[in-house]
Amino acid sequence: MKIVDVKLGMLKVPLITPFKTALRTVEYVEDVVVMLETDTGHIGYGNAPATAVITGDTHGSVIEAIRTVFTPRLLNRSVSDLNRLTREVNAAMINNTSAKAAVEIALYDLFAQSYNAPLYRILGGGDNSLTTDITVSVDYIDKMVADAENAVERGFEILKLKVGKDIGLDIERIKAVYSAVKGRALLRLDANQGWRPKEAVLAIRSLEDAGVMLELIEQPVKAADLEGMRYISERVKTPIMADESIFGPLEVMEVIRRRVADIINIKLMKTGGISSALKIADIAGLYDFECMVGCMLETSIGVSAAAHVAAAKSPVVSKLDLDVPSLCQYDPVVGGATYKDADIILNETPGLGIEKIEGLQLLK
Ligand SMILES: C[C@H](N)C(=O)N[C@H](CCC(=O)O)C(=O)O
Ligand SMILES: [Mg+2]
């Protein structure tokens, strides 16, 4: 199976409600979609959102990287050379992790299709039934409580509250949502780098003292502030998760060795795709470290690829934040994994199982 063409398209899907974090507010999910076509008539799909505030990637940078750097390395190459291809894509340029992820997802999709097996089985198997949390955007207290209630009614048992806008107000937000859903849903927080280390310790301790039980707190401080994150981890009981602080395996080793955080959030758009995500899970496993598999605000192409990785890397991957299909008004991807509120089912079709993508605007 040889790659004979690389096509690109844009895919835009409206959200049910705006997605608001300490870093940004967005109303749409918008991906660059890559399609690797083979001489056998197969298509491998991959995607890349433009999460410039986290990865530095824009739609323009993704398109340019794929067209000028990766495409010449992919054309006329055999899909069976997967490891060599992913090594070459990774070595071809630094950073640009979302563009690399898009290409890797498509390559793994094709590789699994070439063996007529679903991707998670090629990655080592596992359980095809997964459960995700759902994100509640940072907002007015009443809106967050209403969104949390609505999520619980939809059957979500884990809610990820976005905070990090104003730590005093965040405490009120968290307490209000906690008392509204107590006993019905577990809360995890994501501050998206919005807090400072000392104030974070005071805030988390005050929540602990008030009996507010939190599963974990994701990326409380700036991505580069590993010492700040360690300062917090050493002083609170609630587990701390590193997200924006870690992209690839080297950063993960640093976080684990220095005990900067208790848990790691693996996202394909940070790792540059599946090959490094697998390495991270294996490194974490060596140290008996827990991982979550998360996603950016991206379409179900990448979310499904992440779900296949999560299935294959359980139990090191013990938590999922793969909620974007549940945040969108509809899913334009036909075939592949099915999303029904908190439940994700990986079906047995080869690769990612994508049949077609509705509303895809092909790029010239
Ligand atoms: C969508 C997912 N639940 C999530 O919250 N991801 C964010 C980053 C999303 C973005 O800004 O695109 C995270 O974990 O920080
Ligand atoms: Mg996060």
Side-chain angles (χ1 to χ4, degrees):
M1 189 185 278
K2 271 196 177 153
I3 297 164
V4 293
D5 202 1
V6 178
K7 290 205 173 99
L8 294 177
M10 296 300 300
L11 187 61
K12 190 170 177 177
V13 190
L15 293 165
I16 296 169
T17 190
F19 181 80
K20 300 181 185 178
T21 74
L23 294 172
R24 67 192 194 127
T25 296
V26 270
E27 293 182 9
Y28 293 88
V29 175
E30 194 170 13
D31 279 355
V32 176
V33 175
V34 59
M35 287 148 286
L36 303 183
E37 297 186 355
T38 69
D39 58 353
T40 50
H42 293 83
I43 304 175
Y45 291 95
N47 71 305
T51 323
V53 287
I54 296 177
T55 62
D57 300 321
T58 63
H59 291 135
S61 71
V62 168
I63 292 165
E64 181 70 8
I66 294 174
R67 276 196 175 143
T68 63
V69 184
F70 302 142
T71 297
R73 290 171 166 82
L74 296 170
L75 287 176
N76 298 313
R77 301 290 299 276
S78 172
V79 170
S80 63
D81 251 351
L82 178 72
N83 286 348
R84 194 172 303 160
L85 283 168
T86 60
R87 264 199 312 275
E88 285 179 28
V89 164
N90 274 288
M93 67 196 308
I94 63 161
N95 303 324
N96 290 278
T97 50
S98 303
K100 289 175 181 171
V103 169
E104 270 212 6
I105 290 167
L107 283 171
Y108 273 84
D109 183 14
L110 284 176
F111 187 75
Q113 288 182 52
S114 74
Y115 286 96
N116 219 19
L119 179 56
Y120 78 99
R121 292 200 184 275
I122 291 292
L123 299 179
D127 195 343
N128 75 333
S129 165
L130 306 161
T131 306
T132 180
D133 65 0
I134 190 165
T135 303
V136 174
S137 285
V138 60
D139 219 311
Y140 299 109
I141 291 176
D142 290 353
K143 167 90 167 110
M144 289 183 77
V145 169
D147 286 350
E149 291 275 14
N150 181 262
V152 172
E153 273 155 33
R154 286 174 70 186
F156 288 94
E157 292 180 351
I158 306 176
L159 311 182
K160 169 158 145 169
L161 301 191
K162 289 291 186 180
V163 292
K165 281 286 218 193
D166 167 332
I167 200 158
L169 195 52
D170 283 341
I171 293 174
E172 300 311 312
R173 291 177 170 118
I174 296 157
K175 283 183 174 167
V177 175
Y178 184 74
S179 58
V181 302
K182 191 176 167 190
R184 295 187 292 151
L186 189 61
L187 297 188
R188 49 180 70 146
L189 305 183
D190 189 354
N192 282 111
Q193 312 178 51
W195 292 346
R196 294 193 185 92
K198 280 190 179 169
E199 64 180 20
V201 169
L202 292 175
I204 298 164
R205 280 186 180 163
S206 80
L207 290 165
E208 289 172 348
D209 293 345
V212 176
M213 295 290 297
L214 299 171
E215 185 204 17
L216 59 92
I217 302 175
E218 194 173 328
Q219 199 64 47
V221 294
K222 292 274 179 232
D225 190 5
L226 296 189
E227 283 309 313
M229 190 123 80
R230 188 168 68 164
Y231 176 90
I232 300 168
S233 300
E234 284 173 347
R235 286 166 177 77
V236 300
K237 295 186 201 118
T238 312
I240 302 297
M241 176 186 281
D243 181 6
E244 291 94 318
S245 291
I246 61 105
F247 272 53
L250 293 175
E251 287 127 23
V252 168
M253 288 199 289
E254 187 79 358
V255 162
I256 292 176
R257 286 219 186 97
R258 286 163 61 183
R259 296 281 153 192
V260 165
D262 306 288
I263 314 174
I264 282 155
N265 188 348
I266 303 172
K267 290 184 190 152
L268 301 185
M269 296 301 146
K270 295 187 298 171
T271 58
I274 293 173
S275 60
S276 285
L278 299 173
K279 281 188 198 126
I280 290 174
D282 289 341
I283 292 165
L286 289 174
Y287 289 88
D288 209 10
F289 230 73
E290 260 187 284
C291 296
M292 177 157 92
V293 166
C295 58
M296 297 299 183
L297 205 63
E298 59 185 292
T299 62
S300 68
I301 304 167
V303 176
S304 297
H308 281 266
V309 170
K313 288 298 174 186
S314 168
V316 171
V317 173
S318 56
K319 300 173 195 304
L320 291 192
D321 175 33
L322 297 177
D323 57 346
V324 185
S326 303
L327 301 174
C328 288
Q329 291 186 19
Y330 57 86
D331 188 351
V333 178
V334 180
T338 55
Y339 296 86
K340 176 79 184 71
D341 299 320
D343 300 325
I344 303 173
I345 308 288
L346 305 175
N347 64 32
E348 294 302 310
T349 44
L352 293 175
I354 296 171
E355 288 162 27
K356 64 174 176 175
I357 299 176
E358 280 161 358
L360 184 68
Q361 302 288 318
L362 279 182
L363 295 173
K364 289 211 176 97

